[in-house]
């Protein structure tokens, strides 16, 4: 009877300790989860702003210099704000498609100067949070890229090879 009581006490103590560790882990991870949630909600707006910056650049002299400057300044403010949160954007244009850090949203035939599996367009930049993949770059790739999109899950640590590819 004493042995059974002791075993129940030990099991209860182990459950309490495991519960305490789970709560501590959740408490530590909460700020990053909230940061991810709220920042990811802004990515579509940031992608749209990046597209406007590209359009303004492509329009040449037809866009007044004041508009060009204002749009670029707003983009810079977003980048500084993200940097303050330890969020780093990365571009993928010209790289070889890598399903670890790129998400192919479209594929097209390779041109004369392009190689199969090359990133030839970018819909949205990728983002790292403290060196960990937050969002893969949303890209257009030439035919011949790896079809299966497997790789780093959200929040996983990017490898040294990934970091080299990100520039």
């Amino acid at each position: 009877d004493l042995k059974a009581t002791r075993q129940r006490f030990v099991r209860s103590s182990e459950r309490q300790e495991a519960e305490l560790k789970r709560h501590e882990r959740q408490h530590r991870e909460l700020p990053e989860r909230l940061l991810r949630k709220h920042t990811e909600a802004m990515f579509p707006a940031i992608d749209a702003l990046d597209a406007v910056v590209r359009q303004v650049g492509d329009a040449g002299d037809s866009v007044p210099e004041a508009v060009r400057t204002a749009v670029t300044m707003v983009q810079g403010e977003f980048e500084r704000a993200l940097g303050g949160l330890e969020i780093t954007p990365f571009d993928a244009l010209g790289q070889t498609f890598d399903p670890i850090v790129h998400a192919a949203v479209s594929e097209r035939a390779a041109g004369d100067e392009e190689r199969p599996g090359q990133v030839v367009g970018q819909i949205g930049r990728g983002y790292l949070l403290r060196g960990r993949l937050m969002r893969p770059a949303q890209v257009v790739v030439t035919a011949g890229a790896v079809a299966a999109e497997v790789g780093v899950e959200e929040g996983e640590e990017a490898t040294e090879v990934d970091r080299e590819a990100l520039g």
Side-chain angles (χ1 to χ4, degrees):
D1 201 32
L2 182 60
K3 187 176 182 180
T5 302
R6 179 178 160 87
Q7 286 177 342
R8 280 194 309 272
F9 175 76
V10 168
R11 280 194 304 272
S12 175
S13 179
E14 288 171 347
R15 280 193 303 268
Q16 286 177 338
E17 186 175 325
E19 186 71 13
L20 179 62
K21 285 180 182 180
R22 184 177 68 82
H23 283 293
E24 287 172 348
R25 185 181 69 248
Q26 287 176 338
H27 182 71
R28 276 192 320 271
E29 294 172 353
L30 181 62
E32 185 170 318
R33 282 198 315 258
L34 289 172
L35 176 62
R36 282 179 175 278
K37 177 183 174 184
H38 294 294
T39 305
E40 287 172 351
M42 294 187 330
F43 285 155
I46 294 170
D47 291 342
L49 180 61
D50 289 345
V52 169
V53 169
R54 284 191 303 275
Q55 292 286 330
V56 166
D58 292 345
D61 292 336
S62 65
V63 175
E65 187 61 33
V67 172
R68 187 183 321 277
T69 301
V71 168
T72 304
M73 282 177 44
V74 171
Q75 183 186 42
E77 288 299 319
F78 269 109
E79 289 178 1
R80 277 187 287 289
L82 291 173
L85 298 170
E86 299 181 70
I87 298 171
T88 310
F90 64 89
D91 291 312
L93 282 174
Q95 294 181 0
T96 300
F97 177 76
D98 180 350
I100 292 173
V101 293
H102 305 139
V105 294
S106 182
E107 183 178 62
R108 70 167 176 79
D112 293 337
E113 307 259 333
E114 298 166 342
R115 61 190 184 283
Q118 181 178 359
V119 175
V120 292
Q122 181 170 279
I123 310 309
R125 293 184 288 178
Y127 293 89
L128 300 174
L129 172 60
R130 298 179 191 114
R132 296 165 68 102
L133 185 66
M134 186 174 190
R135 182 182 90 159
Q138 313 296 301
V139 299
V140 177
V141 65
T142 57
V146 179
E149 289 203 24
V150 296
V152 176
E153 293 294 320
E154 180 179 300
E156 266 189 83
E157 185 72 32
T159 66
E160 289 303 315
V161 173
D162 301 335
R163 287 192 187 97
E164 287 175 18
L166 299 176

